[in-house]
Amino acid sequence: MTENDPSRRQQILDAALKVFSHKGFASATIKDIAKEAGLKSPALIYWYFPNKQELLVSILMELVPILQQVATSPQTLMEQPPEETLMMLAQSFMKVFGTPLGGQMLRIFLSDIGHAPELEERVAGVQKMMLTFFSAYLQRQIDLGRLRPCDTQSAARIFIGSLLAYVMSSEVFHWLREGLADPQIYARQAVETFLEGMRVRSDE
Amino acid sequence: MTENDPSRRQQILDAALKVFSHKGFASATIKDIAKEAGLKSPALIYWYFPNKQELLVSILMELVPILQQVATSPQTLMEQPPEETLMMLAQSFMKVFGTPLGGQMLRIFLSDIGHAPELEERVAGVQKMMLTFFSAYLQRQIDLGRLRPCDTQSAARIFIGSLLAYVMSSEVFHWLREGLADPQIYARQAVETFLEGMRVRSDE
DNA sequence: TCCTCTTGATTGAACGTTCAATCAAGAGTA
DNA sequence: TACTCTTGATTGAACGTTCAATCAAGAGGA
């Protein structure tokens, strides 16, 4: 049993997260990370991690539970009416990706997931599952007559996309932050717009 | 043989686009690009370009006219009712970013714009301008009583985001392509949903 | 037709640097 | 002593870039 100091390990991971999100995986050097972590020698990193890629993998590993956290207790959400479920979903989304941590994660994910192929598969699986779940939920609500019939695959992406735009504006295209509303306000408006847009039309 | 290629420059750029979009700027090597372009020596690239970064800059330079192409004749669009303008906008967006070229561009932009700081500024300017224009348009339509009052900055991002989700699904998270609707169909649904969601509410 | 000179394009070899990874030697502790 | 952690020095490979040499093709005389 090798008893690696867990705090030192985390310290290195925190530094790596920061450096990766700023320079990208390929441009970030072990030296950069060591300096950011306040280590006197880059060699120490190799006591806790076998190589540079494992740093990336360890960071992105946390993305799976984070993503799943967005869809808390899907069973419960599945039964609620759209007003409740969509708002819950939007708020989870904002809570997770609205933080600096979430933003850094997203940036690393967008830029460097290709450098961790085995994780790409995992995360892809989670994403697909979530989208499928959400589509199924929308279909259910349509069947119940609570939403108007349409292609649920598209509808799911439209809703998620409207939320994604907020995170992209605040964390990726940081020059679009100007004039950006509060995450809560934005989430409410996104939900409201989508919900109204999906209402069954009594007229015509 | 050796038909005095004046298109050699473009041939190199095409190869660079492909390699950059696949491996990212930092991980792509001059050798990779030379091989992709069918050159016998990487040195030849330096006859046409001063350095590796200039390849990236030359590629991303094309992004400015491409982006502006999305907002064709803003004056005309500005005057039309939402049904027309939003549909035009959505279709331009899809036309530009729905192609493989647009997808590759987007991926390079997302991953590697940081490696071309002088361009980041340019593109940021264009993006901001487009968002501002669109917000102003929405405000105008609200004032005209054609859309319900709301925060137009958020509304603009919500609409663009719903379109962005399509491109992200098809070109970035390629594992989400499955079940993806036709771009035309998707655009129509996105516009319809947003439009209905922004309608003035006569009831209540 | 033959020869010379010029120009743009192309090549393989090499240079200097960077970087991930390794190593051997310790420091601190139990 | 034995084990965990830490360090500066070192290694070997890969990379961007440079460079002298070469090639192919044309221009202009004689």
Side-chain angles (χ1 to χ4, degrees), chain A residues 96-146:
Chain A
V96 166
F97 289 110
T99 64
L101 176 71
Q104 288 169 326
M105 280 283 188
L106 181 70
R107 251 177 320 181
I108 296 177
F109 179 67
L110 283 176
S111 300
D112 298 318
I113 184 67
H115 289 109
E118 76 269 29
L119 265 180
E120 179 163 356
E121 219 172 325
R122 275 283 298 277
V123 178
V126 176
Q127 277 194 359
K128 271 172 71 171
M129 201 200 60
M130 292 177 65
L131 207 58
T132 305
F133 256 114
F134 189 41
S135 291
Y137 170 79
L138 291 175
Q139 187 59 56
R140 178 92 180 270
Q141 299 302 313
I142 290 171
D143 294 342
L144 290 174
R146 301 209 262 225

Side-chain angles (χ1 to χ4, degrees), chain A residues 48-89:
Chain A
Y48 295 92
F49 299 91
N51 52 45
K52 183 182 166 187
Q53 189 194 312
E54 204 58 35
L55 283 173
L56 181 67
V57 171
S58 295
I59 287 174
L60 288 180
M61 280 263 268
E62 300 172 30
L63 206 58
V64 173
I66 283 181
L67 279 179
Q68 285 168 339
Q69 181 186 330
V70 171
T72 23
S73 53
Q75 282 315 94
T76 312
L77 285 177
M78 205 68 178
E79 300 303 323
Q80 304 291 324
E83 292 80 13
E84 311 288 334
T85 297
L86 293 184
M87 200 59 212
M88 291 285 270
L89 228 143

Side-chain angles (χ1 to χ4, degrees), chain A:
Chain A
M1 277 286 203
T2 52
E3 191 181 344
N4 283 2
D5 184 352
S7 69
R8 176 58 42 105
R9 198 186 129 94
Q10 192 56 46
Q11 175 188 4
I12 293 171
L13 280 180
D14 291 343
L17 173 74
K18 194 163 178 181
V19 177
F20 285 161
S21 74
H22 193 247
K23 309 181 71 169
F25 174 76
S27 295
T29 71
I30 291 288
K31 220 170 159 183
D32 290 333
I33 298 169
K35 187 189 283 184
E36 176 68 36
L39 309 182
K40 292 198 176 159
S41 165
L44 184 55
I45 292 176
Y46 289 94
W47 179 259
Y48 295 92
F49 299 91
N51 52 45
K52 183 182 166 187
Q53 189 194 312
E54 204 58 35
L55 283 173
L56 181 67
V57 171
S58 295
I59 287 174
L60 288 180
M61 280 263 268
E62 300 172 30
L63 206 58
V64 173
I66 283 181
L67 279 179
Q68 285 168 339
Q69 181 186 330
V70 171
T72 23
S73 53
Q75 282 315 94
T76 312
L77 285 177
M78 205 68 178
E79 300 303 323
Q80 304 291 324
E83 292 80 13
E84 311 288 334
T85 297
L86 293 184
M87 200 59 212
M88 291 285 270
L89 228 143
Q91 286 190 335
S92 285
F93 191 94
M94 287 301 181
K95 195 171 170 185
V96 166
F97 289 110
T99 64
L101 176 71
Q104 288 169 326
M105 280 283 188
L106 181 70
R107 251 177 320 181
I108 296 177
F109 179 67
L110 283 176
S111 300
D112 298 318
I113 184 67
H115 289 109
E118 76 269 29
L119 265 180
E120 179 163 356
E121 219 172 325
R122 275 283 298 277
V123 178
V126 176
Q127 277 194 359
K128 271 172 71 171
M129 201 200 60
M130 292 177 65
L131 207 58
T132 305
F133 256 114
F134 189 41
S135 291
Y137 170 79
L138 291 175
Q139 187 59 56
R140 178 92 180 270
Q141 299 302 313
I142 290 171
D143 294 342
L144 290 174
R146 301 209 262 225
L147 297 176
R148 71 175 163 86
C150 65
D151 175 26
T152 54
Q153 288 273 354
S154 299
R157 286 173 172 85
I158 287 171
F159 181 66
I160 301 291
S162 69
L163 300 179
L164 189 65
Y166 185 89
V167 188
M168 297 286 269
S169 289
S170 72
E171 302 292 335
V172 181
F173 307 140
H174 50 270
W175 52 83
L176 295 184
R177 255 187 225 174
E178 208 180 329
L180 200 57
D182 188 77
Q184 298 292 331
I185 310 259
Y186 184 95
R188 181 177 307 279
Q189 185 170 335
V191 168
E192 212 167 301
T193 306
F194 181 76
L195 220 51
E196 283 299 317
M198 291 286 292
R199 273 266 144 70
V200 288
R201 282 176 263 185
S202 45
D203 56 61
E204 184 190 9

